[in-house]
Structures are given as C-alpha cells and as structure tokens.
Amino acid sequence: MTVKITDVARHAGVSPSTVSYALSGKRPISAETRARVAASIRELGYRPHAGARALASSKSNVLAMVVPLRAGIHVPVVMGFAVSVVTSARAHDHDVLLVTQEEGEEGLRRVADSALVDALIVMDVQLDDPRLPLLRTLDRPSVLIGFPSAADGLTCIDLDFRAAGEVCVDHLAGLGHRVVGLIGSPPEVYVRQTSFAQRVLQGFTAAATRHGMTSTVHPCEATPAAAREVAERLLREHPALTGVVVHNEAVLDPLLDAFEHLGLRIPADLSITALCPDDLATSLRVPLTSVAIPSAELGEQAVNLLMRKLDGAPVPEATLLPAHLTPRASTTHRLTG
Amino acid sequence: MTVKITDVARHAGVSPSTVSYALSGKRPISAETRARVAASIRELGYRPHAGARALASSKSNVLAMVVPLRAGIHVPVVMGFAVSVVTSARAHDHDVLLVTQEEGEEGLRRVADSALVDALIVMDVQLDDPRLPLLRTLDRPSVLIGFPSAADGLTCIDLDFRAAGEVCVDHLAGLGHRVVGLIGSPPEVYVRQTSFAQRVLQGFTAAATRHGMTSTVHPCEATPAAAREVAERLLREHPALTGVVVHNEAVLDPLLDAFEHLGLRIPADLSITALCPDDLATSLRVPLTSVAIPSAELGEQAVNLLMRKLDGAPVPEATLLPAHLTPRASTTHRLTG
DNA sequence: CTGAAAGCGCTAACAT
DNA sequence: ATGTTAGCGCTTTCAG
C-alpha cells in the first residue's frame, strides 16, 4: 500500500536504520549510501509515518498555537501572527495545531499530555491568566505572547507596549504639543486585564507626566459609531487638545473621518499617532505616524524561542521587541497661535 | 513516567484491550468494568498517546485546514471560518492542523501522505485550482470551500453567491430601483478567478437583466481611498443610480462615508445592500440590508461533510447554502419624482 | 560506517 | 463480556 521505511531500505540495498539515519543525519552516512537512499526515497515517494515517528522518538514535531477569539482583539493582527508562526514553524520542520482559547486549560492539557504536540505558543495572555500554573507544570515547553503579572518560570515575548505608549507621547511632546489624549482599546480589554492595553496606558501616562503634559484617556469600542462619539467627546471636554495616540486598529479610519467632520484638519489642527500594523497605517487617507505592531516578527521570534527550548538551550524569560515610531503625515508641530 | 494503557489496566484489574474498548466503545463492556476503568483513568490522569494511537489504528484524528493568505480576502471571514472549523472538529473529537496556502500542493501531500491528518479542508478554491488533481488522487477525503469550474469527484460547499447577487438585485427591483451598481471585490480577486466573486457578478448581472434594469460593475480595492474614488466615479458616470450592491467587506464604512460626503442620504437618495457577515452589517452607522456570509455555518457543515466521508458515507458533491437577505435600514423605495 | 533487533503505546484480530 | 497477542512503522540502542 503506502511505502514504508523497509521498502526504501530494500530498494536501496541498505538496512532500515540506515535509511532512518540518512534522514535524520544523526550518524555519519557515506556520501554514496546517502545518495542511493535519497534516490530510493524519491523514486518510491516515501513519507515517514508521522505517528510511528512520534511513537518511536517521542517527538511529534507539532506545536500547539492557542488563539484568542474574544472581543476587542484585532483579527488581522492575530491572523498575521498565526501565519507567521506557521511559516516559521515549517522552517524548523514543525507543523502547527490550532487550539482555541475556548478550550481553556483542558485543551492545553489534552494536546500536551497526549503527546500530540511537543510545545505550545499561547497568545493573548492576561495579567492573571488561569492557564499559567498549568503551563508551569506541563512537561512541555511553552512561549507566551504577552506578559502576565508574574512571569517567573515562563517564557514571554511581546512588543514593548509601554515603550510604544511612551514614544508616541515623546514624539508629540517634541513637536510642541501640550495636551494629549489616548484613544484606547475597547473597555472589555482593560476590564479583563489584558496586559498590552495596560502597558500602553502606563507608558502614555508616564511620558505625559514626565513632559508635564495634560493627558486624558478614553477607551473606545471597535465600531465606527463609538469612534465618532469618542472623537466628539474628546474635543468637547478638552478643547485645548492638539495630539492623540490611538491604540485601536479598528477605529482609525472612522476617527480620521470624525475629526474631519468636526472641522479639524490632520495634522494641521490635530496630530495623530497610532499603534497598529504598518500596512494599516499607510493605507489610510492620511498616512499615520505610528508604532508598528510587528506580528510577523513576533511570531517568528516566538517560534525561535520555542525551538531553542526544545533543544534544551536556555532562553531569556522575557523578550521585549523594541518600539519603533515611524513619522508619517499625521503629525506635525503644534501651531503656536 | 507518563501513565500508559497498561498502567490503567493493572490499576483497574483488567486487560489493556478492555481499557481500549472501554474508551472507544467498539465492543460491549459491562457497566461495572466500565466504571472501574473510568475511575482508574481519572485517578491516574491517563491520556492515550496520540502517536501510538495513530500508528495502531491508522487514524490520527486530525484534520488539515488550508487557509488563504492572499490579498483581497477579508480576514475576519477567514478567521471566523477557521474558528468554526476547529470548534466543530473538536465536537467530533478531531484536532485541526493549520496549513498555509503558501505550502501549495507539496504541503497537502506532506500532511496527507505522512498520515499526519486523516482529511483536509481547503479554503479559497479557484476556478482552475492547481491543487484539484492532487486532491482527487489523494487517498484521504477532502472538502473544498468554493466551487472550481470542474468539481467532479470532489466535495464542495459554499454560500450560494450567485443567488446572493440575485437576491440583492431582486430586493432593489422590488423597491422600484431601475439603475443599480455592483461595487465588487478587489480586481485581483477577479483576475485570479476566485469563484465566489465571479458568481456574485453573474447573479447580479443576470437579475438586473431579468428585471430590465441598467447595471454597472466596479471592482474596488480594499482601502478607504479606493472606496471614495469608486463612490465618486459611480455617481459621476451614472447620475440616475439609486441602488448599489456591495461585495467588499473592507470598504463598507468608507463607502457610507463617501456617499454622505457626496450629499446622498442613505437610504433616501441611495439604497445599499451588502454581502457581508451579519455583525458587520449591523455595526455600521446605517444598519445595512444584507445577505449574510455565514462563516460559522460553512465551517460546521464542511466538517460534517468530512466526518461523513471519513465514516464512508456518501455525501453530495455540491452543497450550496441558501442566500438569505435581511432587510435593514439601508434600503427603501425609490423616490418617484 | 552499517546492521540487527528491541521496543515506543496502542488497537484489533483471535481467542475463550 | 473479557483476555492474549501480534503487529502498526519508526528510532535507537547495541554490535560489529
């Protein structure tokens, strides 16, 4: 039926173990045999049976990726991350099993304890995530995207969201702005203590304080209607406002729109900086000065960390990707009038 | 180390096969033994080894899901579908392996021939998809989302996009509109012959012709800027236009905006129907009359089809989910005057 | 540098 | 209704 390693061995005139070693490179094989084996494999169309391999080697070469489904997360960012994880995993000869957040701790336990996967990547980690104790005791390595409040014994990676919040404010301060607002993620994101939103907030507030600026914060639902409302309220309550930081990918376009409706030109009357993927920042009517959310790099680095852990190499507990601000057309000097 | 089936057997005072059968239900077990086995399993925290199971049973209980990455597809729709597939698969005790479109035919062959997966779900199928011949010869069942031009020997499922296009036009015709426009997907979607876009177009055109309406078609990039441009051109070139059908989730809000800017009230001056997920239709400033893109139902049905095929049951080659139009605030009678 | 053979943990005949 | 046992296809000692 399907061709197996003994078929290849016979065809190449070697033993099964030689085929196995030729494939894994775990012991020296003469160039000649290796070539014969390779030829037989190609000719017969041999594919090692994944299950048999997993059983014999106790390695499935599969990673679990736990993706969030909940409200308030920006879907394209998740998707970009997921794709990058799969691509990076493939570069390391691993596959990726998709696990939904919904499955909770039981889901993690299931895929880990059944040896379906060798390691896990967990997205959207909360400050006090119920899965942390489990991840610590699981006998398989894991990498978290995001930082819980107690990250000891775990491996975490994320964009440096605090620095991202700061650098946006620093940029506005450097342009002479004195009154700034943060238009943030939907309220539920703060309520459930997702760390990245909090960290942006901290960075924003800290930098504003450091610069002696007046600052205000407004969470915002991910709908155009909410965007319009927040824009209006912001201007009404803070007439002196000349700079805003937006950490909410879903409402960027509606916000631009709303500010325009309210008679403000961007950046002449109002400077805007955003935290969002670069392609979004550049596709809007006014290209936005922004700090990029580097999904692809995040996914790749998460996989790299996991691979090193699987190799038994030590990795840092915390990895923060630096926040880089790219100035574009949406920010300029405050008009002194 | 980790507990195995023989440990459970010993602990319960039965043979390994009894544990196996108690788990699979493939042969009658007395209520008493079943209870003892269940207790031992719980007590010892036993999880069958996935690889061993796959090897012995030649069933991995894993499905491959091939997701598109390319431009022009609406990410939330893909994500919703993916989540629904995973959830449905779990309900059938299966897991889902994520495969990127990028891996192409080789990727399909790899996961199928290595017995990593039992079956495949392939999204974003093109009219002349290069993977079709492979899928036909693969010894594992598959289900395609979308309809290629030659679907014989394959199992396909999708929303009835043609009917969706028609029903939108029918609705507008019923309201007295005589000049209608289709604002479609990005040009690249048509160029690469993705079937759903073409089918909407056919339905739209056919219905317009049937009703004796004047119709026009405009593909549209998925950016706000493109939306504004298309809106303007549409009105300039077709001043008598009173109804539009939008098949492009990404530009719905910008379009509403643009039409408003151009002095049109919706629906008083212009009626709009959309093809998009329901939650999008209802979250816009004007709730849109729309035909829902039922990602969740599609995912669930795709998995159901696959499960039936895995059970050796016959399934229809083609499954079209009916297109339902939900009237909302964005359409009304044409003003006669 | 290569072979032989012992499992890996489970399922599914084949028994009874 | 349950037990015994022979593999499933591969990796990895152990030998040479």
Side-chain angles (χ1 to χ4, degrees):
Chain A
M1 194 67 174
T2 79
V3 26
K4 44 188 136 191
I5 200 169
T6 52
D7 299 326
V8 176
R10 194 176 326 113
H11 186 273
V14 298
S15 74
S17 62
T18 296
V19 175
S20 177
Y21 285 119
L23 240 24
S24 69
K26 288 190 181 172
R27 82 181 186 189
I29 301 283
S30 76
E32 194 211 345
T33 353
R34 198 175 350 176
R36 263 214 324 291
V37 169
S40 298
I41 288 179
R42 208 171 320 111
E43 197 165 328
L44 302 180
Y46 169 66
R47 304 270 184 182
H49 187 288
R53 198 169 238 200
L55 179 56
S57 69
S58 20
K59 279 179 191 342
S60 68
N61 273 37
V62 175
L63 309 179
M65 173 169 63
V66 187
V67 301
L69 313 169
R70 296 177 302 183
I73 50 111
H74 188 60
V75 176
V77 169
V78 172
M79 194 72 177
F81 179 82
V83 166
S84 150
V85 165
V86 174
T87 306
S88 306
R90 288 300 311 138
H92 294 272
D93 197 32
H94 281 248
D95 273 283
V96 175
L97 198 79
L98 197 55
V99 179
T100 61
Q101 193 96 277
E102 205 175 19
E103 286 209 62
E105 303 164 60
E106 165 60 17
L108 298 186
R109 196 171 260 129
R110 181 175 57 81
V111 297
D113 288 353
S114 68
L116 230 191
V117 306
D118 296 334
L120 307 95
I121 293 184
V122 182
M123 298 184 66
D124 192 33
V125 172
Q126 299 175 51
L127 283 178
D128 186 24
D129 202 296
R131 299 167 295 187
L132 301 184
L134 174 61
L135 288 170
R136 263 186 269 258
T137 61
L138 236 42
D139 53 343
R140 314 209 172 266
S142 56
V143 167
L144 315 193
I145 315 303
F147 283 84
S149 33
D152 53 290
L154 298 168
T155 305
C156 304
I157 183 173
D158 210 345
L159 172 65
D160 189 340
F161 277 101
R162 190 181 207 286
E166 292 193 57
V167 72
C168 284
V169 173
D170 291 346
H171 175 74
L172 292 173
L175 292 171
H177 298 275
R178 309 299 305 151
V179 181
V180 294
L182 171 66
I183 298 180
S185 300
E188 61 263 33
V189 173
Y190 294 93
V191 168
R192 75 162 181 263
Q193 306 264 73
T194 301
S195 66
F196 70 90
Q198 313 260 335
R199 288 184 282 136
V200 170
L201 178 55
Q202 286 166 15
F204 172 86
T205 307
T209 304
R210 175 159 39 78
H211 290 293
M213 298 162 102
T214 301
S215 72
T216 173
V217 174
H218 293 254
C220 180
E221 292 292 351
T223 66
R228 278 184 284 277
E229 195 187 307
V230 166
E232 195 200 314
R233 217 178 62 231
L234 202 56
L235 295 183
R236 177 158 33 81
E237 299 178 1
H238 305 271
L241 183 94
T242 61
V244 304
V245 176
V246 183
H247 179 208
N248 189 326
E249 296 90 344
V251 298
L252 283 170
D253 186 61
L255 274 177
L256 287 180
D257 219 53
F259 285 129
E260 194 174 288
H261 266 77
L262 292 166
L264 298 183
R265 290 156 304 156
I266 294 169
D269 302 314
L270 184 69
S271 282
I272 297 184
T273 81
L275 247 82
C276 68
D278 261 345
D279 58 345
L280 213 190
T282 56
S283 74
L284 295 173
R285 80 191 72 178
V286 181
L288 297 184
T289 294
S290 71
V291 172
I293 296 183
S295 327
E297 195 187 343
L298 219 49
E300 188 183 332
Q301 296 233 36
V303 170
N304 287 342
L305 284 169
L306 218 37
M307 290 300 149
R308 281 198 265 151
K309 290 183 89 168
L310 283 171
D311 288 347
V315 301
E317 287 205 341
T319 305
L320 281 175
L321 300 189
H324 293 302
L325 181 139
T326 304
R328 296 200 182 83
S330 66
T331 50
T332 191
H333 284 84
R334 180 176 64 121
L335 290 181
T336 47
Chain B
M1 200 59 179
T2 77
V3 26
K4 44 186 138 196
I5 200 169
T6 52
D7 299 327
V8 175
R10 195 177 326 112
H11 186 272
V14 299
S15 77
S17 62
T18 296
V19 176
S20 177
Y21 284 120
L23 241 23
S24 68
K26 289 192 183 170
R27 84 180 184 189
I29 301 283
S30 76
E32 193 210 346
T33 4
R34 200 176 350 179
R36 263 214 324 291
V37 168
S40 298
I41 288 179
R42 211 171 318 111
E43 197 165 329
L44 301 181
Y46 168 66
R47 304 271 184 181
H49 187 289
R53 199 168 237 200
L55 180 54
S57 69
S58 21
K59 278 176 190 342
S60 69
N61 273 37
V62 175
L63 309 180
M65 173 170 62
V66 187
V67 302
L69 313 168
R70 298 176 300 184
I73 48 112
H74 188 60
V75 176
V77 169
V78 172
M79 195 71 178
F81 178 81
V83 165
S84 149
V85 165
V86 174
T87 306
S88 307
R90 288 299 310 137
H92 294 272
D93 197 32
H94 281 248
D95 272 283
V96 175
L97 198 79
L98 197 55
V99 178
T100 61
Q101 193 95 277
E102 206 175 19
E103 286 209 61
E105 304 165 58
E106 164 60 15
L108 299 186
R109 196 173 260 130
R110 182 174 57 80
V111 296
D113 288 354
S114 68
L116 229 192
V117 306
D118 297 333
L120 307 96
I121 293 183
V122 181
M123 299 184 64
D124 193 33
V125 172
Q126 297 175 54
L127 283 179
D128 186 25
D129 201 295
R131 297 166 297 186
L132 301 184
L134 174 60
L135 287 170
R136 264 186 268 257
T137 61
L138 234 42
D139 53 344
R140 313 206 174 266
S142 55
V143 168
L144 315 192
I145 315 304
F147 282 83
S149 33
D152 55 289
L154 298 169
T155 304
C156 304
I157 182 172
D158 210 347
L159 172 65
D160 190 340
F161 277 102
R162 189 180 208 287
E166 292 192 58
V167 71
C168 285
V169 174
D170 290 346
H171 175 74
L172 292 173
L175 292 171
H177 297 276
R178 308 299 307 151
V179 182
V180 294
L182 170 67
I183 299 181
S185 300
E188 60 264 34
V189 173
Y190 295 93
V191 168
R192 74 160 179 263
Q193 307 263 73
T194 300
S195 64
F196 71 90
Q198 313 259 337
R199 286 183 284 137
V200 171
L201 178 54
Q202 287 166 14
F204 172 85
T205 307
T209 304
R210 175 158 38 80
H211 291 291
M213 298 161 103
T214 302
S215 72
T216 172
V217 174
H218 293 255
C220 179
E221 293 291 351
T223 65
R228 278 183 285 278
E229 197 186 306
V230 166
E232 195 200 314
R233 220 181 55 235
L234 202 56
L235 294 183
R236 177 159 29 83
E237 299 178 0
H238 304 273
L241 184 92
T242 61
V244 305
V245 176
V246 184
H247 180 208
N248 189 325
E249 297 90 344
V251 298
L252 284 171
D253 186 62
L255 275 177
L256 287 181
D257 219 56
F259 285 129
E260 192 175 290
H261 266 77
L262 292 165
L264 298 183
R265 287 157 306 154
I266 292 169
D269 302 315
L270 185 68
S271 283
I272 297 185
T273 81
L275 247 81
C276 69
D278 262 344
D279 59 344
L280 213 189
T282 57
S283 75
L284 296 173
R285 79 191 72 178
V286 180
L288 296 184
T289 294
S290 71
V291 172
I293 297 184
S295 325
E297 195 188 344
L298 260 173
E300 188 183 333
Q301 295 234 36
V303 169
N304 287 344
L305 284 170
L306 217 37
M307 290 301 148
R308 281 198 265 152
K309 290 183 87 169
L310 283 171
D311 288 345
V315 301
E317 287 204 341
T319 304
L320 281 176
L321 300 188
H324 293 302
L325 181 138
T326 304
R328 296 201 183 82
S330 66
T331 50
T332 191
H333 284 83
R334 181 176 62 123
L335 291 180
T336 48

